[in-house]
Amino acid sequence: MMADAWEDARALFGASVRAVLEAWPALQIAVENGFGGVHSQEKAEWLGRAVVEYFIRNANLELDEVEDFLGELMTNEFDTVVEDGSLPQVSQQLQTMFHHFQKGDGAALREMAFYITQRKCRVTATALRTARETDEDEDGADSVEEMEVTAMNDGAATDGVCPQLEPSDPDSQTIKEEDIVEDGWTIVRRKK
């Protein structure tokens, strides 16, 4: 009977991990846009199982270890570098859920998974073109692709930021048209 209870708790932990990953905008965008290739959805499902195994095999993980693990998986499997500040938040949620799993607190796991699912945002990314890039395309030059992200929560568009994420400084993410030089390279300037 003890093994059955452990398997039930593990299944609940797995469902909680899936809820966190399905609510993670960076992973949503990577899957929806096929950054992991034609099998992006299968990779996302595998990622959930890999995270569960990682926690079970490494009981005393530090937050930075979880962040590194998730960042490496996103880079290797989805060719995506997560720079939106969400890695620490997702890692903390997963670590908290694992502590509840270790204590056998199924009610807390269910409550966290429910809360995360309720706050889940629908995120879409679309390619943008500037007037200069359109002119360059007509000349046959390579273009720079920029993504616009729109977050949806309960069917209503938000300001492009999912409410559960920390807003980033809008000036730090803006590429000005004059920063795109003639050969398609982008000049990156440090903020002062």
Side-chain angles (χ1 to χ4, degrees):
M1 185 70 175
M2 191 71 155
D4 289 339
W6 190 86
E7 284 299 321
D8 290 344
R10 181 182 166 133
L12 181 57
F13 176 60
S16 300
V17 167
R18 280 190 303 281
V20 170
L21 296 178
E22 289 171 1
W24 188 15
L27 182 59
Q28 284 182 30
I29 290 170
V31 171
E32 289 173 9
N33 290 288
F35 294 171
V38 294
H39 301 290
S40 290
Q41 183 61 46
E42 291 84 2
K43 284 184 177 184
E45 292 167 9
W46 169 83
L47 185 107
R49 293 187 302 272
V51 167
V52 169
E53 284 301 315
Y54 180 68
F55 273 98
I56 289 176
R57 291 181 184 193
N58 303 287
N60 296 317
L61 291 169
E62 296 293 325
L63 188 60
D64 60 336
E65 293 174 305
V66 178
E67 287 178 39
D68 291 346
F69 179 72
L70 288 175
E72 188 176 311
L73 286 176
M74 289 296 289
T75 300
N76 293 341
E77 300 301 325
F78 294 98
D79 198 24
T80 300
V81 177
V82 180
E83 294 179 332
D84 64 354
S86 65
L87 267 174
Q89 179 186 15
V90 170
S91 299
Q92 181 63 53
Q93 289 172 338
L94 292 170
Q95 198 170 39
T96 301
M97 288 181 163
F98 185 65
H99 289 302
H100 291 308
F101 166 73
Q102 286 178 314
K103 292 189 297 186
D105 192 351
L109 271 174
R110 280 187 211 75
E111 184 178 330
M112 277 190 76
F114 178 77
Y115 176 76
I116 289 168
T117 302
Q118 292 303 310
R119 291 191 49 146
K120 179 180 172 180
C121 289
R122 183 84 178 139
V123 181
T124 57
T126 54
L128 297 177
R129 291 182 173 268
T130 64
R132 183 176 179 155
E133 289 171 344
T134 304
D135 292 342
E136 287 177 357
D137 284 347
E138 292 170 3
D139 295 337
D142 291 336
S143 67
V144 176
E145 189 171 340
E146 188 176 323
M147 302 297 270
E148 177 181 75
V149 177
T150 306
M152 302 294 279
N153 191 7
D154 296 328
T158 64
D159 296 346
V161 177
C162 185
Q164 65 198 42
L165 297 176
E166 291 294 319
S168 61
D169 179 13
D171 294 332
S172 67
Q173 299 294 327
T174 304
I175 298 174
K176 297 178 182 157
E177 194 169 320
E178 62 266 14
D179 290 343
I180 301 173
V181 293
E182 193 170 312
D183 62 356
W185 289 92
T186 302
I187 300 170
V188 178
R189 293 190 171 94
R190 185 180 304 254
K191 281 184 76 173
K192 296 180 181 181

